[in-house]
Each structure stands twice: as C-alpha cells, then as structure tokens.
Amino acid sequence: MASLLEQLRQYTTVVSDTGDFHAIKQFRPQDATTNPSLIAAAAEKPEYAPIVDDVLKQVRKDAGPAASDKEVAAKAFRPLEVAFGLKILEIIPGRVSTEVDARLSYDIDRSIAEARAIIALYDKAGVSTIVFSSSWPLHGRASKPRRSSRRRVFTAT
C-alpha cells in the first residue's frame, strides 16, 4: 500500500514549507515556500554555514571595508533568502515562493519595496518571477502578476 504522502500526490500538488534542504529531498515536493522565519531557523544549522558564510562575504564585499558587522548583517538577510531559494530550485522540479516578512503586511509600500528588492536579486541570478499578494491588506494593490515565470513564484504575505 502507498504511503499517505504518495496517496496525497494523486490528488494534489505537494508543497514544502521549509528552508531545510534535507526535508525537501526526503519528501520530494513539487514546489516549495519559504519565509523569513524558516530561513532564519535553517541558517542557524551548521550544515548551512557555507551558504551563510558565502552570503556574508559577498555582502561585506559589496558594502565596502567601512561597513560595520551590524550593517553587513542587516543587509545580508535578503540575499540569504534568495540564496536558499536558489538552492531549493536545484532540488525541486517546480516553483519556490520567497515571502516578504509578515510584519510588513500592513505597510503596503514597504512590502512592495521589499518584494521588488527580492525580485531584483532573483533577476540578477537569472531567475524570473511572478508576484501575487496573499495577505488581505496587500490584496487589492499587489495581487496582479508583475512578471511571468515557470520556475519561481514570489508572494508578499
């Protein structure tokens, strides 16, 4: 008899909600979603230290020698989300959703600015995006697709 997960695959698309590559490989979802808290939790794991280190090195290089550790850390999270999203795309056959921090849900302008900044990083990596809103405050303003894609979905929560 097929496992419950395999039975579910017959009727729906399996989507992971994690930044943990091992779990994604184990359960083989079609698509994946991440958010800042999931990425922060995954980034604390020792096995992901090389990704975190690479992002920090690049951000420090881009920020210049005068940048403090605090400034580098503040600028590193968005590139870290994208780095994890790109790694996830190497594992799954479908799309990955990188969400804006939920604390920005009621600040439409900051949510859209954050979305555009994340989109720019994916574009720089050669990954196309589509944007849609999944939170009520943003729904009316950000629900129309901004760009089309077959590989990447971005949601503003």
Side-chain angles (χ1 to χ4, degrees):
M1 181 172 183
S3 70
L4 181 58
L5 180 58
E6 293 307 318
Q7 291 175 42
L8 284 171
R9 286 183 203 280
Q10 295 174 18
Y11 302 103
T12 190
T13 300
V14 175
V15 179
S16 70
D17 192 6
T18 184
D20 184 337
F21 307 147
H22 303 296
I24 294 170
K25 289 176 183 175
Q26 178 183 356
F27 294 107
R28 303 178 339 272
Q30 172 67 30
D31 300 319
T33 187
T34 65
N35 64 49
S37 61
L38 295 172
I39 298 301
E44 291 180 5
K45 295 182 177 185
E47 61 263 35
Y48 302 126
I51 296 169
V52 174
D53 291 346
D54 288 347
V55 167
L56 287 172
K57 286 176 190 171
Q58 185 61 51
V59 170
R60 178 159 301 285
K61 179 180 172 189
D62 294 346
S68 70
D69 289 347
K70 186 175 180 178
E71 290 169 323
V72 169
K75 292 178 181 183
F77 196 77
R78 197 180 295 141
L80 185 63
E81 287 182 296
V82 173
F84 269 78
L86 293 171
K87 291 289 187 183
I88 291 168
L89 282 173
E90 293 174 7
I91 301 168
I92 63 169
R95 296 176 174 96
V96 64
S97 167
T98 300
E99 298 175 359
V100 168
D101 191 325
R103 294 173 293 188
L104 298 177
S105 290
Y106 290 94
D107 187 335
I108 294 169
D109 293 329
R110 281 187 59 208
S111 290
I112 291 171
E114 184 70 12
R116 287 182 175 150
I118 293 170
I119 288 167
L121 290 173
Y122 274 107
D123 285 347
K124 186 177 176 181
V127 177
S128 298
T129 58
I130 184 170
V131 176
F132 64 93
S133 172
S134 62
S135 68
W136 185 252
L138 291 175
H139 182 70
R141 187 153 171 203
S143 62
K144 295 181 181 170
R146 305 278 194 247
R147 302 175 188 194
S148 62
S149 170
R150 285 182 242 158
R151 287 288 292 155
R152 234 242 5 102
V153 176
F154 172 84
T155 58
T157 60

